[in-house]
Amino acid sequence: QKLKQKSYRFLDTETDFKTIVLPENTYWGGAYAAEILTKYLNANSGIIYTGLDFQELMKELRLLPDNKGNITVVEKFWTEDIRTNTVNPMLVFADLTTDNDQRLLETANLIYKDYVENNL
């Protein structure tokens, strides 16, 4: 079964990822999580994994559906509790390697070396 996912953009186009406080059971993935983990990237997109209803999350974070939006919301697929605002670094690595963007691949490599390699 495929995970439910949808693209959005912020209602306010000036919204900075750094100012967003994610609600409970919601976590950053993708490029913005990579920025948090490595300080190497200046992300202009992000993935949000959530256990919340997408409509509820849209209202809370002031998101608008947009097929070309820079925020992808994906349903959360794990059950264990996470104590950070980012998903597991292995998932961030996987998120980054789905894109052919050289900067994202460089960042994925840093995450692999710092977080993944020694935990396999």
Side-chain angles (χ1 to χ4, degrees):
Q1 178 182 339
K2 260 188 121 158
L3 294 173
K4 183 173 145 195
Q5 69 177 48
K6 193 164 166 102
S7 293
Y8 297 91
R9 66 176 169 80
F10 288 110
L11 177 64
D12 178 357
T13 54
E14 300 299 309
T15 299
D16 184 349
F17 288 102
K18 293 171 187 67
T19 65
I20 300 299
V21 177
L22 294 178
E24 195 174 310
N25 204 18
T26 303
Y27 310 92
W28 286 112
Y32 187 61
E35 179 179 328
I36 293 169
L37 292 173
T38 65
K39 312 288 187 263
Y40 179 71
L41 199 59
N42 193 1
N44 59 3
S45 68
I47 297 173
I48 297 175
Y49 289 89
T50 187
L52 301 178
D53 175 75
F54 283 22
Q55 292 285 5
E56 190 182 320
L57 188 69
M58 265 179 62
K59 287 179 192 148
E60 187 144 345
L61 297 182
R62 300 181 50 144
L63 298 171
L64 291 176
D66 183 342
N67 289 339
K68 293 182 177 16
N70 64 342
I71 303 288
T72 302
V73 177
V74 180
E75 74 177 296
K76 185 181 136 210
F77 57 88
W78 62 89
T79 54
E80 63 271 4
D81 199 24
I82 298 179
R83 304 228 178 272
T84 65
N85 65 342
T86 62
V87 296
N88 183 301
M90 204 172 291
L91 181 52
V92 177
F93 171 81
D95 288 342
L96 297 180
T97 58
T98 63
D99 198 314
N100 280 331
D101 180 295
Q102 196 55 45
R103 186 94 168 140
L104 293 182
L105 294 173
E106 287 170 19
T107 309
N109 196 32
L110 291 174
I111 289 172
Y112 184 82
K113 285 181 180 155
D114 291 347
Y115 295 94
V116 179
E117 194 170 42
N118 297 324
N119 291 313
L120 292 177

PDB file of all heavy atoms in Angstrom, residues 30 47 49 77 87-99 105 108 111-112 116:
ATOM      1  N   GLY A  30      13.089  15.257   4.419  1.00  0.00           N
ATOM      2  CA  GLY A  30      13.565  15.908   3.204  1.00  0.00           C
ATOM      3  C   GLY A  30      14.637  16.950   3.436  1.00  0.00           C
ATOM      4  O   GLY A  30      15.412  16.891   4.388  1.00  0.00           O
ATOM      5  N   ILE A  47       9.701  17.984   3.479  1.00  0.00           N
ATOM      6  CA  ILE A  47       8.678  16.952   3.585  1.00  0.00           C
ATOM      7  C   ILE A  47       8.211  16.968   5.031  1.00  0.00           C
ATOM      8  O   ILE A  47       9.026  17.087   5.950  1.00  0.00           O
ATOM      9  CB  ILE A  47       9.249  15.565   3.213  1.00  0.00           C
ATOM     10  CG1 ILE A  47       9.712  15.561   1.756  1.00  0.00           C
ATOM     11  CG2 ILE A  47       8.212  14.461   3.458  1.00  0.00           C
ATOM     12  CD1 ILE A  47      10.440  14.296   1.329  1.00  0.00           C
ATOM     13  N   TYR A  49       6.167  14.642   7.637  1.00  0.00           N
ATOM     14  CA  TYR A  49       5.530  13.361   7.935  1.00  0.00           C
ATOM     15  C   TYR A  49       4.596  13.601   9.108  1.00  0.00           C
ATOM     16  O   TYR A  49       5.003  14.169  10.117  1.00  0.00           O
ATOM     17  CB  TYR A  49       6.586  12.317   8.306  1.00  0.00           C
ATOM     18  CG  TYR A  49       7.426  11.883   7.128  1.00  0.00           C
ATOM     19  CD1 TYR A  49       8.590  12.560   6.794  1.00  0.00           C
ATOM     20  CD2 TYR A  49       7.044  10.795   6.344  1.00  0.00           C
ATOM     21  CE1 TYR A  49       9.366  12.166   5.704  1.00  0.00           C
ATOM     22  CE2 TYR A  49       7.807  10.397   5.253  1.00  0.00           C
ATOM     23  CZ  TYR A  49       8.960  11.083   4.943  1.00  0.00           C
ATOM     24  OH  TYR A  49       9.713  10.690   3.868  1.00  0.00           O
ATOM     25  N   PHE A  77       4.325   6.544   8.990  1.00  0.00           N
ATOM     26  CA  PHE A  77       4.150   5.096   8.851  1.00  0.00           C
ATOM     27  C   PHE A  77       4.805   4.303   9.971  1.00  0.00           C
ATOM     28  O   PHE A  77       4.861   3.091   9.925  1.00  0.00           O
ATOM     29  CB  PHE A  77       4.683   4.628   7.489  1.00  0.00           C
ATOM     30  CG  PHE A  77       6.132   4.977   7.261  1.00  0.00           C
ATOM     31  CD1 PHE A  77       7.144   4.127   7.679  1.00  0.00           C
ATOM     32  CD2 PHE A  77       6.467   6.173   6.641  1.00  0.00           C
ATOM     33  CE1 PHE A  77       8.481   4.464   7.470  1.00  0.00           C
ATOM     34  CE2 PHE A  77       7.794   6.507   6.429  1.00  0.00           C
ATOM     35  CZ  PHE A  77       8.792   5.651   6.839  1.00  0.00           C
ATOM     36  N   VAL A  87      12.595  13.436  11.292  1.00  0.00           N
ATOM     37  CA  VAL A  87      12.481  11.984  11.207  1.00  0.00           C
ATOM     38  C   VAL A  87      13.872  11.360  11.356  1.00  0.00           C
ATOM     39  O   VAL A  87      14.881  12.057  11.368  1.00  0.00           O
ATOM     40  CB  VAL A  87      11.830  11.540   9.869  1.00  0.00           C
ATOM     41  CG1 VAL A  87      10.407  12.049   9.774  1.00  0.00           C
ATOM     42  CG2 VAL A  87      12.645  11.989   8.673  1.00  0.00           C
ATOM     43  N   ASN A  88      13.923  10.049  11.434  1.00  0.00           N
ATOM     44  CA  ASN A  88      15.177   9.319  11.522  1.00  0.00           C
ATOM     45  C   ASN A  88      16.109   9.741  10.372  1.00  0.00           C
ATOM     46  O   ASN A  88      15.654   9.822   9.226  1.00  0.00           O
ATOM     47  CB  ASN A  88      14.857   7.819  11.448  1.00  0.00           C
ATOM     48  CG  ASN A  88      16.078   6.953  11.610  1.00  0.00           C
ATOM     49  OD1 ASN A  88      17.031   7.056  10.837  1.00  0.00           O
ATOM     50  ND2 ASN A  88      16.043   6.093  12.605  1.00  0.00           N
ATOM     51  N   PRO A  89      17.396   9.996  10.662  1.00  0.00           N
ATOM     52  CA  PRO A  89      18.330  10.404   9.604  1.00  0.00           C
ATOM     53  C   PRO A  89      18.370   9.445   8.411  1.00  0.00           C
ATOM     54  O   PRO A  89      18.599   9.878   7.276  1.00  0.00           O
ATOM     55  CB  PRO A  89      19.683  10.452  10.310  1.00  0.00           C
ATOM     56  CG  PRO A  89      19.329  10.778  11.726  1.00  0.00           C
ATOM     57  CD  PRO A  89      18.038  10.043  11.979  1.00  0.00           C
ATOM     58  N   MET A  90      18.114   8.163   8.632  1.00  0.00           N
ATOM     59  CA  MET A  90      18.099   7.207   7.526  1.00  0.00           C
ATOM     60  C   MET A  90      16.966   7.554   6.546  1.00  0.00           C
ATOM     61  O   MET A  90      17.129   7.446   5.337  1.00  0.00           O
ATOM     62  CB  MET A  90      17.937   5.785   8.055  1.00  0.00           C
ATOM     63  CG  MET A  90      18.467   4.747   7.091  1.00  0.00           C
ATOM     64  SD  MET A  90      18.498   3.085   7.779  1.00  0.00           S
ATOM     65  CE  MET A  90      19.766   3.205   9.018  1.00  0.00           C
ATOM     66  N   LEU A  91      15.836   8.004   7.077  1.00  0.00           N
ATOM     67  CA  LEU A  91      14.716   8.408   6.225  1.00  0.00           C
ATOM     68  C   LEU A  91      15.044   9.722   5.509  1.00  0.00           C
ATOM     69  O   LEU A  91      14.718   9.881   4.328  1.00  0.00           O
ATOM     70  CB  LEU A  91      13.428   8.538   7.055  1.00  0.00           C
ATOM     71  CG  LEU A  91      12.162   8.924   6.312  1.00  0.00           C
ATOM     72  CD1 LEU A  91      11.891   8.030   5.117  1.00  0.00           C
ATOM     73  CD2 LEU A  91      10.972   8.914   7.269  1.00  0.00           C
ATOM     74  N   VAL A  92      15.717  10.645   6.194  1.00  0.00           N
ATOM     75  CA  VAL A  92      16.134  11.894   5.549  1.00  0.00           C
ATOM     76  C   VAL A  92      17.072  11.563   4.385  1.00  0.00           C
ATOM     77  O   VAL A  92      16.926  12.099   3.282  1.00  0.00           O
ATOM     78  CB  VAL A  92      16.824  12.852   6.547  1.00  0.00           C
ATOM     79  CG1 VAL A  92      17.314  14.107   5.835  1.00  0.00           C
ATOM     80  CG2 VAL A  92      15.882  13.210   7.692  1.00  0.00           C
ATOM     81  N   PHE A  93      18.015  10.662   4.622  1.00  0.00           N
ATOM     82  CA  PHE A  93      18.927  10.207   3.572  1.00  0.00           C
ATOM     83  C   PHE A  93      18.135   9.688   2.368  1.00  0.00           C
ATOM     84  O   PHE A  93      18.375  10.072   1.226  1.00  0.00           O
ATOM     85  CB  PHE A  93      19.863   9.124   4.136  1.00  0.00           C
ATOM     86  CG  PHE A  93      20.695   8.441   3.090  1.00  0.00           C
ATOM     87  CD1 PHE A  93      21.849   9.035   2.604  1.00  0.00           C
ATOM     88  CD2 PHE A  93      20.330   7.204   2.595  1.00  0.00           C
ATOM     89  CE1 PHE A  93      22.620   8.407   1.624  1.00  0.00           C
ATOM     90  CE2 PHE A  93      21.088   6.559   1.620  1.00  0.00           C
ATOM     91  CZ  PHE A  93      22.238   7.174   1.134  1.00  0.00           C
ATOM     92  N   ALA A  94      17.164   8.826   2.634  1.00  0.00           N
ATOM     93  CA  ALA A  94      16.336   8.255   1.558  1.00  0.00           C
ATOM     94  C   ALA A  94      15.565   9.349   0.818  1.00  0.00           C
ATOM     95  O   ALA A  94      15.492   9.342  -0.412  1.00  0.00           O
ATOM     96  CB  ALA A  94      15.376   7.210   2.129  1.00  0.00           C
ATOM     97  N   ASP A  95      15.008  10.305   1.577  1.00  0.00           N
ATOM     98  CA  ASP A  95      14.281  11.420   0.953  1.00  0.00           C
ATOM     99  C   ASP A  95      15.178  12.171  -0.031  1.00  0.00           C
ATOM    100  O   ASP A  95      14.751  12.525  -1.130  1.00  0.00           O
ATOM    101  CB  ASP A  95      13.806  12.428   2.013  1.00  0.00           C
ATOM    102  CG  ASP A  95      12.654  11.934   2.872  1.00  0.00           C
ATOM    103  OD1 ASP A  95      11.975  10.968   2.475  1.00  0.00           O
ATOM    104  OD2 ASP A  95      12.436  12.535   3.947  1.00  0.00           O
ATOM    105  N   LEU A  96      16.414  12.426   0.366  1.00  0.00           N
ATOM    106  CA  LEU A  96      17.314  13.236  -0.457  1.00  0.00           C
ATOM    107  C   LEU A  96      17.793  12.503  -1.700  1.00  0.00           C
ATOM    108  O   LEU A  96      18.077  13.123  -2.718  1.00  0.00           O
ATOM    109  CB  LEU A  96      18.531  13.679   0.362  1.00  0.00           C
ATOM    110  CG  LEU A  96      18.254  14.586   1.558  1.00  0.00           C
ATOM    111  CD1 LEU A  96      19.559  14.920   2.262  1.00  0.00           C
ATOM    112  CD2 LEU A  96      17.529  15.844   1.158  1.00  0.00           C
ATOM    113  N   THR A  97      17.890  11.193  -1.620  1.00  0.00           N
ATOM    114  CA  THR A  97      18.441  10.442  -2.751  1.00  0.00           C
ATOM    115  C   THR A  97      17.408  10.167  -3.843  1.00  0.00           C
ATOM    116  O   THR A  97      17.754   9.590  -4.865  1.00  0.00           O
ATOM    117  CB  THR A  97      19.074   9.107  -2.286  1.00  0.00           C
ATOM    118  OG1 THR A  97      18.090   8.339  -1.609  1.00  0.00           O
ATOM    119  CG2 THR A  97      20.271   9.359  -1.382  1.00  0.00           C
ATOM    120  N   THR A  98      16.186  10.605  -3.652  1.00  0.00           N
ATOM    121  CA  THR A  98      15.174  10.432  -4.704  1.00  0.00           C
ATOM    122  C   THR A  98      15.243  11.555  -5.736  1.00  0.00           C
ATOM    123  O   THR A  98      14.514  11.553  -6.706  1.00  0.00           O
ATOM    124  CB  THR A  98      13.743  10.379  -4.124  1.00  0.00           C
ATOM    125  OG1 THR A  98      13.469  11.621  -3.494  1.00  0.00           O
ATOM    126  CG2 THR A  98      13.589   9.236  -3.143  1.00  0.00           C
ATOM    127  N   ASP A  99      16.123  12.519  -5.507  1.00  0.00           N
ATOM    128  CA  ASP A  99      16.249  13.686  -6.368  1.00  0.00           C
ATOM    129  C   ASP A  99      17.642  13.689  -6.995  1.00  0.00           C
ATOM    130  O   ASP A  99      18.596  13.263  -6.369  1.00  0.00           O
ATOM    131  CB  ASP A  99      16.060  14.941  -5.499  1.00  0.00           C
ATOM    132  CG  ASP A  99      15.730  16.166  -6.313  1.00  0.00           C
ATOM    133  OD1 ASP A  99      16.401  16.397  -7.335  1.00  0.00           O
ATOM    134  OD2 ASP A  99      14.821  16.907  -5.903  1.00  0.00           O
ATOM    135  N   LEU A 105      22.266  15.529  -3.017  1.00  0.00           N
ATOM    136  CA  LEU A 105      23.035  14.280  -2.966  1.00  0.00           C
ATOM    137  C   LEU A 105      24.294  14.436  -2.107  1.00  0.00           C
ATOM    138  O   LEU A 105      24.656  13.526  -1.358  1.00  0.00           O
ATOM    139  CB  LEU A 105      23.383  13.808  -4.384  1.00  0.00           C
ATOM    140  CG  LEU A 105      22.171  13.386  -5.228  1.00  0.00           C
ATOM    141  CD1 LEU A 105      22.591  13.094  -6.658  1.00  0.00           C
ATOM    142  CD2 LEU A 105      21.448  12.196  -4.618  1.00  0.00           C
ATOM    143  N   ALA A 108      23.048  14.300   1.378  1.00  0.00           N
ATOM    144  CA  ALA A 108      22.704  12.911   1.702  1.00  0.00           C
ATOM    145  C   ALA A 108      23.964  12.143   2.083  1.00  0.00           C
ATOM    146  O   ALA A 108      23.966  11.362   3.039  1.00  0.00           O
ATOM    147  CB  ALA A 108      22.011  12.242   0.522  1.00  0.00           C
ATOM    148  N   ILE A 111      24.964  13.070   5.610  1.00  0.00           N
ATOM    149  CA  ILE A 111      24.069  12.408   6.573  1.00  0.00           C
ATOM    150  C   ILE A 111      24.429  10.930   6.682  1.00  0.00           C
ATOM    151  O   ILE A 111      24.475  10.384   7.784  1.00  0.00           O
ATOM    152  CB  ILE A 111      22.594  12.615   6.172  1.00  0.00           C
ATOM    153  CG1 ILE A 111      22.212  14.072   6.421  1.00  0.00           C
ATOM    154  CG2 ILE A 111      21.665  11.670   6.936  1.00  0.00           C
ATOM    155  CD1 ILE A 111      20.862  14.472   5.906  1.00  0.00           C
ATOM    156  N   TYR A 112      24.723  10.315   5.548  1.00  0.00           N
ATOM    157  CA  TYR A 112      25.110   8.906   5.577  1.00  0.00           C
ATOM    158  C   TYR A 112      26.349   8.713   6.455  1.00  0.00           C
ATOM    159  O   TYR A 112      26.378   7.851   7.330  1.00  0.00           O
ATOM    160  CB  TYR A 112      25.368   8.399   4.151  1.00  0.00           C
ATOM    161  CG  TYR A 112      25.675   6.919   4.123  1.00  0.00           C
ATOM    162  CD1 TYR A 112      24.643   5.994   4.149  1.00  0.00           C
ATOM    163  CD2 TYR A 112      26.992   6.459   4.128  1.00  0.00           C
ATOM    164  CE1 TYR A 112      24.910   4.634   4.157  1.00  0.00           C
ATOM    165  CE2 TYR A 112      27.263   5.097   4.136  1.00  0.00           C
ATOM    166  CZ  TYR A 112      26.220   4.191   4.151  1.00  0.00           C
ATOM    167  OH  TYR A 112      26.477   2.851   4.182  1.00  0.00           O
ATOM    168  N   VAL A 116      24.208   7.418   9.463  1.00  0.00           N
ATOM    169  CA  VAL A 116      23.708   6.129   8.991  1.00  0.00           C
ATOM    170  C   VAL A 116      24.773   5.035   9.035  1.00  0.00           C
ATOM    171  O   VAL A 116      24.546   3.960   9.582  1.00  0.00           O
ATOM    172  CB  VAL A 116      23.136   6.247   7.551  1.00  0.00           C
ATOM    173  CG1 VAL A 116      22.650   4.911   7.046  1.00  0.00           C
ATOM    174  CG2 VAL A 116      22.007   7.288   7.515  1.00  0.00           C
TER     175      VAL A 116
END
